Amino acid sequence: LYMSGFGNEFASEDPRCPGSLPEGQNNPQVCPYGLYAEQLSGSAFTCPRSTNKRSWLYRILPSVRHKPFTPMSCGDLTENWNEVEPDPNQLRWKPFNIPKSSEKKVDFISGLHTVCGAGDSKSRNGIAIHMYTCNTSMIDKCFQNADGDFLIVPQQGEILITTEFGKMMVEPNEICVIQQGMRFSVDVFGETRGYILEVFGAHFELPDLGPIGANGLANPRDFQTPVAWYEDRTVATGYTIVNKYQGKLFSCQQDFSPFNVVAWHGNYTPYKYNLENFMVINCVAFDHADPSIFTVLTAKSTRPGVAIADFVIFPPRWGVADHTFRPPYYHRNCMSEFMGLIKGHYEAKEEGFQPGGASLHSIMTPHGPDVDCFEKNSTAVLKPERVAEGTMAFMFESSFSMALCPNH
């Protein structure tokens, strides 16, 4: 079950405990059912109301009841961008390999691989792009990202995400956002792969629509937030909390499940979105509109109109432009463009770009359609046609100049 809306003030309580949400105040002297009140802040206290993010959680035991954090292996998760010499060439990756469960059990955390990034989590300004490839569910273990927000794009295999706010089933062609500090665990049902855009220092929001008007692109009503669900479970052998902090991984132990939130209210929540609900806007006369018309979510920088990162999709749509080269145009961009493919064939590169793979076009590096695409579409008889049918490509676009990580 989900609640509808983007950035709303939500309130939810598990139906097994009616009346567990306090009325009229956030932090009563004694909470219903003897619960503990805990605030999760996603913004500074004094941020303007339009950007102020926080939720109140009412839990069986408080999060503070844990043993000390200790460093653990980061595997292929890194922020060491400066260890690799810059490479402005066009880069492309084949589909990232998923380990076989018969050979090695790999869960979501151990299956994280950083591909590229820029900036710094310590200064709260930058991004990282990761892949996850896994075959095993997380058992008595959860993940918390103290550095930033995760925008997760499943490509192969659905994932069941249990959060402190409730559960979300996220399938390929859907996305979800787990915001900074929210604890979650991932269950998988076979060989699983996907992409992650991590943003430091900002939260994702809907792009401004300008002259488009009040409706269009990703409509707020189509975003879904989970309803409260809890488990009152003691884990005698120890429950592991993995914390990503300043680009490193740390773990601690506690003897209870962190998913013990009976009720909650606020506007700082995890959420998911089905990309099929995107209301596509396209050119209906001539020429090629810029891909910004396909922006689903944006993480704004302090410069107006310039994003730390945009999440952009290239969904099925009608192409009707007259006397126009309809595929994406040749381009040199002041932004970095990382592309992935969830399914199908990307129109500008139908052969070399595969689902589960990726490409990176760095700042001001030329890129565009391949020869076959250019010749085919330069001589085509133009008529209304469906474009990208059965396909979903996407782009993580950033104003940062992204660098590769040592393992890629």
Side-chain angles (χ1 to χ4, degrees):
L1 295 175
Y2 302 94
M3 296 176 285
S4 171
F6 187 88
N8 294 14
E9 285 286 341
F10 295 105
S12 183
E13 62 182 24
D14 192 303
R16 291 173 289 174
C17 294
S20 51
L21 198 62
E23 293 185 9
Q25 66 178 117
N26 296 323
N27 192 21
Q29 185 176 18
V30 178
C31 292
Y33 296 91
L35 300 172
Y36 292 82
E38 179 178 291
Q39 184 175 200
L40 178 62
S41 293
S43 65
F45 293 141
T46 52
C47 277
R49 279 184 179 263
S50 61
T51 57
N52 208 298
K53 306 291 183 185
R54 57 85 186 94
S55 285
W56 280 90
L57 314 179
Y58 301 93
R59 44 194 335 144
I60 296 169
L61 288 172
S63 299
V64 72
R65 226 190 77 168
H66 65 83
K67 295 179 180 178
F69 284 102
T70 57
M72 59 178 284
S73 171
C74 295
D76 290 327
L77 197 68
T78 181
E79 279 186 23
N80 297 329
W81 340 115
N82 296 328
E83 292 183 5
V84 177
E85 288 296 313
D87 185 354
N89 288 300
Q90 301 94 339
L91 300 171
R92 187 182 299 176
W93 289 267
K94 294 179 179 179
F96 292 82
N97 290 328
I98 307 173
K100 301 290 185 183
S101 58
S102 58
E103 299 173 1
K104 184 180 181 182
K105 302 289 187 183
V106 178
D107 66 16
F108 178 84
I109 297 174
S110 56
L112 288 171
H113 307 266
T114 308
V115 180
C116 56
D120 177 35
S121 61
K122 295 179 184 178
S123 61
R124 311 290 297 118
N125 190 31
I127 69 167
I129 294 174
H130 316 281
M131 297 294 300
Y132 67 88
T133 54
C134 52
N135 54 40
T136 301
S137 298
M138 294 166 60
I139 306 296
D140 291 337
K141 182 192 299 182
C142 75
F143 188 78
Q144 168 187 298
N145 186 0
D147 291 337
D149 291 9
F150 269 1
L151 189 159
I152 301 174
V153 185
Q155 185 273 319
Q156 178 176 319
E158 67 266 31
I159 53 177
L160 176 61
I161 302 180
T162 301
T163 77
E164 295 168 280
F165 296 79
K167 297 189 175 205
M168 299 187 295
M169 179 68 80
V170 189
E171 301 178 358
N173 224 42
E174 294 183 319
I175 62 166
C176 72
V177 173
I178 309 292
Q179 303 195 75
Q180 181 189 12
M182 297 176 180
R183 294 180 173 180
F184 68 98
S185 182
V186 177
D187 286 349
V188 301
F189 307 93
E191 295 180 359
T192 306
R193 177 172 56 205
Y195 309 82
I196 298 175
L197 171 60
E198 181 183 12
V199 175
F200 313 136
H203 296 302
F204 290 101
E205 54 189 281
L206 295 173
D208 296 324
L209 294 182
I212 292 174
N215 306 288
L217 309 189
N219 288 309
R221 66 174 295 190
D222 293 324
F223 287 82
Q224 296 180 306
T225 292
V227 298
W229 176 89
Y230 77 93
E231 60 178 7
D232 185 5
R233 183 164 67 92
T234 299
V235 185
T237 55
Y239 195 104
T240 303
I241 310 292
V242 178
N243 183 18
K244 181 176 179 290
Y245 175 72
Q246 294 188 5
K248 305 292 185 181
L249 293 184
F250 299 82
S251 66
C252 73
Q253 296 290 309
Q254 58 188 48
D255 61 1
F256 61 94
S257 167
F259 305 121
N260 62 355
V261 177
V262 178
W264 62 267
H265 74 86
N267 64 353
Y268 190 54
T269 70
Y271 54 88
K272 75 169 198 168
Y273 175 75
N274 190 326
L275 300 180
E276 291 183 1
N277 291 327
F278 188 81
M279 200 205 88
V280 183
I281 290 174
N282 206 1
C283 173
V284 295
F286 62 90
D287 270 354
H288 199 299
D290 293 326
S292 50
I293 62 170
F294 302 130
T295 302
V296 179
L297 292 169
T298 184
K300 295 179 179 178
S301 74
T302 55
R303 292 176 289 165
V306 179
I308 293 174
D310 286 328
F311 174 61
V312 180
I313 63 173
F314 301 95
R317 58 200 181 276
W318 281 98
V320 299
D322 289 329
H323 47 83
T324 295
F325 183 75
R326 290 179 178 175
Y329 45 69
Y330 294 98
H331 194 204
R332 289 183 295 162
N333 195 356
C334 64
M335 309 279 276
S336 299
E337 300 181 15
F338 179 95
M339 287 197 63
L341 185 61
I342 298 172
K343 61 179 181 178
H345 302 276
Y346 180 54
E347 57 190 302
K349 294 179 175 64
E350 293 193 3
E351 296 302 323
F353 193 45
Q354 302 174 50
S359 69
L360 175 63
H361 297 141
S362 298
I363 287 177
M364 290 304 174
T365 294
H367 54 278
D370 59 25
V371 173
D372 290 343
C373 177
F374 177 80
E375 291 181 350
K376 174 184 174 182
N377 287 275
S378 296
T379 58
V381 176
L382 297 181
K383 56 185 178 180
E385 62 178 347
R386 291 288 290 171
V387 178
E389 198 67 38
T391 293
M392 186 62 75
F394 69 87
M395 177 169 63
F396 299 150
E397 186 178 52
S398 175
S399 57
F400 280 84
S401 184
M402 286 193 282
L404 295 179
C405 292
N407 54 325
H408 288 287

